[in-house]
């Protein structure tokens, strides 16, 4: 008999004596625990065997709080006394601990089995990094946890009931309305909410576009590797465009036979420079004359340290020329690991 118990988050996640804040947070998060009550013997014996196995394997870490007798008995469809007796015997064996007001927990000394080091090479100790110069790595310690939590709570409290059901695959209408207003005001992107699709980052948006694009696709010769990787996964061949101090060489596009062009005109990676205005105009002319599609990754589009926003952008030019264009601005690239990505198309 295989049963599953999903532990609900405790109402009081306060730190217990001797616990660190990290340990408390981990225990309060809840655990998905699959218990296989199979084999011969009594239900109590099979439950004890399953719990020992979960502790040995590390699925139940030391200090993890187990569910109350009634909850686990109800979920497994067995008597409450059976669970109570199993807990009590495991406490006697040292697998579990029980204290008044703290519940039943996995004993601290009940450590899981260590991996076989003879078969698995030792992990090398990482050297302490003084200055992390890895690109595209935001300072995660600066993430506004308190403000994010406060906003999330307000949104959950005010959200209508249908927000928790099956919604519009393009994203909530309220979010798309807010993004349309923000993009027009702060980014110069003029579009309607119905032409915005909320994605889990640019990679997700590019995969959506890749399912309808026709190759080949012209891309910058060096830059964000995942652009070429995703297009390749979608079966779309890519052709490189030379990159110099003014960005991608748009004059090379007609000879590539490309049906679409993927650019990072705000901040070319890794040079950081914007696409020159003349080349912006040139790529619009190409799209208009060839019926091509422009795909723009607005990488770090909000960060401008030494200049005003480059105007006009391909999107703004496109509004006057009628070519097809897909814009993928991240709402805030510094929070790109946590924030949404809007993809809009201008016809």
């Amino acid at each position: 008999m295989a049963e599953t118990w999903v532990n609900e988050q405790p109402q009081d996640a306060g730190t217990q004596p001797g616990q660190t804040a990290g340990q408390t947070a981990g225990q309060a998060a809840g655990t998905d625990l699959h218990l296989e009550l199979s084999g011969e013997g009594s239900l109590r014996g099979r439950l004890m065997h399953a719990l020992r196995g979960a502790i040995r394997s590390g699925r139940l870490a030391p200090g993890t709080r187990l569910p109350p007798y009634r909850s686990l008995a109800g979920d497994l469809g067995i008597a409450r006394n059976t669970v109570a007796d199993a807990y009590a015997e495991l406490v006697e064996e040292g697998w579990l601990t029980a204290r008044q007001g703290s519940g039943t927990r996995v004993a601290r000394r009940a450590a899981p089995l260590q991996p076989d080091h003879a078969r698995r090479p030792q992990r090398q100790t990482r050297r302490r990094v003084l200055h992390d110069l890895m690109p595209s790595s935001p300072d995660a310690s600066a993430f506004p946890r308190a403000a994010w939590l406060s906003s999330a709570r307000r949104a959950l409290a005010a959200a209508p009931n249908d927000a928790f059901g099956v919604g519009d695959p393009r994203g909530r209408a309220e979010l798309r309305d807010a993004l349309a207003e923000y993009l027009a005001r702060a980014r110069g992107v003029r579009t309607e909410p119905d032409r915005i699709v909320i994605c889990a980052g640019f990679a997700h948006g590019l995969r959506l576009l890749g399912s309808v694009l026709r190759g080949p696709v012209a891309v910058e010769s060096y830059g964000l590797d995942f652009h070429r990787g995703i297009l390749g996964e979608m079966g779309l061949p890519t052709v490189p465009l030379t990159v110099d101090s003014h960005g991608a060489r748009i004059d090379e596009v007609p000879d590539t036979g490309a049906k679409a062009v993927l650019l990072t005109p705000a901040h070319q990676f890794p040079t950081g420079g914007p696409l020159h205005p003349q080349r912006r105009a040139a790529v619009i002319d190409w799209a208009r004359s060839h019926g091509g599609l422009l795909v723009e990754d607005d990488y770090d589009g909000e960060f401008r340290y030494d200049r005003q926003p480059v105007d006009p952008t391909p999107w703004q030019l496109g509004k006057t020329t009628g070519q097809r264009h897909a814009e993928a601005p991240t709402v805030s690239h510094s929070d790109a690991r946590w924030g949404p990505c809007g993809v809009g198309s201008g016809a």
Side-chain angles (χ1 to χ4, degrees):
M1 176 175 62
E3 301 291 348
T4 301
W5 163 66
V6 180
N7 183 20
E8 298 180 354
Q9 181 169 333
Q11 298 296 320
D12 183 6
T15 303
Q16 300 295 328
Q19 289 180 308
T20 66
Q23 291 170 332
T24 302
Q27 294 162 9
T31 304
D32 290 336
L33 177 62
H34 181 79
L35 294 178
E36 184 78 19
L37 303 187
S38 58
E40 300 179 353
S42 65
L43 278 175
R44 178 176 61 84
R46 283 182 277 163
L47 176 59
M48 292 172 58
H49 177 76
L51 288 171
R52 290 193 199 99
I55 295 172
R56 287 195 188 99
S57 66
R59 290 188 293 135
L60 282 177
T64 301
R65 184 174 181 175
L66 298 184
Y69 308 149
R70 186 188 302 273
S71 298
L72 185 57
D75 288 336
L76 295 180
I78 59 180
R80 184 175 62 176
N81 287 342
T82 300
V83 178
D85 292 344
Y87 278 11
E89 190 162 343
L90 290 174
V91 169
E92 292 295 327
E93 294 178 0
W95 293 95
L96 305 177
T97 61
R99 289 193 304 171
Q100 185 70 28
S102 179
T104 304
R105 297 177 181 270
V106 178
R108 290 289 176 188
R109 63 189 183 88
L113 294 177
Q114 297 300 316
D116 187 351
H117 297 289
R119 300 176 58 185
R120 186 174 181 179
Q122 291 279 358
R123 178 182 295 180
Q124 295 182 352
T125 303
R126 297 185 62 181
R127 298 175 60 184
R128 181 171 175 265
V129 177
L130 297 179
H131 304 287
D132 186 359
L133 302 181
M134 181 67 68
S136 300
S137 298
D139 181 7
S141 65
F143 184 78
R145 300 169 188 266
W148 188 278
L149 180 60
S150 177
S151 297
R153 284 174 172 168
R154 288 198 305 271
L156 285 172
N161 292 335
D162 64 359
F164 304 100
V166 179
D168 192 320
R170 298 172 299 174
R172 289 289 301 180
E174 299 91 338
L175 177 56
R176 290 186 283 113
D177 288 342
L179 281 175
E181 185 277 330
Y182 167 78
L183 293 172
R185 169 173 50 83
R187 312 295 282 279
V189 177
R190 299 189 297 271
T191 188
E192 299 297 325
D194 287 344
R195 306 186 74 85
I196 292 177
V197 177
I198 309 302
C199 304
F202 179 77
H204 179 205
L206 185 57
R207 285 189 171 89
L208 293 178
L209 289 171
S211 65
V212 296
L213 284 178
R214 296 294 179 266
V217 179
V219 298
E220 295 158 344
S221 58
Y222 60 91
L224 296 165
D225 291 339
F226 76 90
H227 285 174
R228 292 184 293 274
I230 291 175
L231 293 173
E233 292 173 3
M234 306 299 294
L236 295 170
T238 59
V239 290
L241 298 176
T242 303
V243 175
D244 58 23
S245 59
H246 295 302
R249 290 279 302 274
I250 303 302
D251 59 303
E252 297 177 355
V253 175
D255 295 333
T256 64
K259 304 297 183 183
V261 177
L262 171 55
L263 299 172
T264 54
H267 287 87
Q268 201 281 332
F269 181 86
T271 66
L275 186 63
H276 192 278
Q278 290 183 355
R279 295 186 181 180
R280 291 168 177 259
V283 75
I284 294 296
D285 291 340
W286 168 83
R288 179 176 56 184
S289 61
H290 292 75
L293 176 71
L294 302 183
V295 182
E296 178 178 344
D297 182 352
D298 192 28
Y299 177 81
D300 274 358
E302 290 181 322
F303 295 158
R304 303 180 181 94
Y305 304 105
D306 57 352
R307 62 180 65 87
Q308 293 296 316
V310 179
D311 188 32
T313 66
W315 177 280
Q316 293 166 325
L317 286 170
K319 297 301 287 186
T320 64
T321 58
Q323 103 299 331
R324 298 178 298 164
H325 180 277
E327 167 87 1
T330 49
V331 174
S332 176
H333 196 80
S334 63
D335 292 341
R337 277 69 174 167
W338 310 283
C341 166
V343 176
S345 61

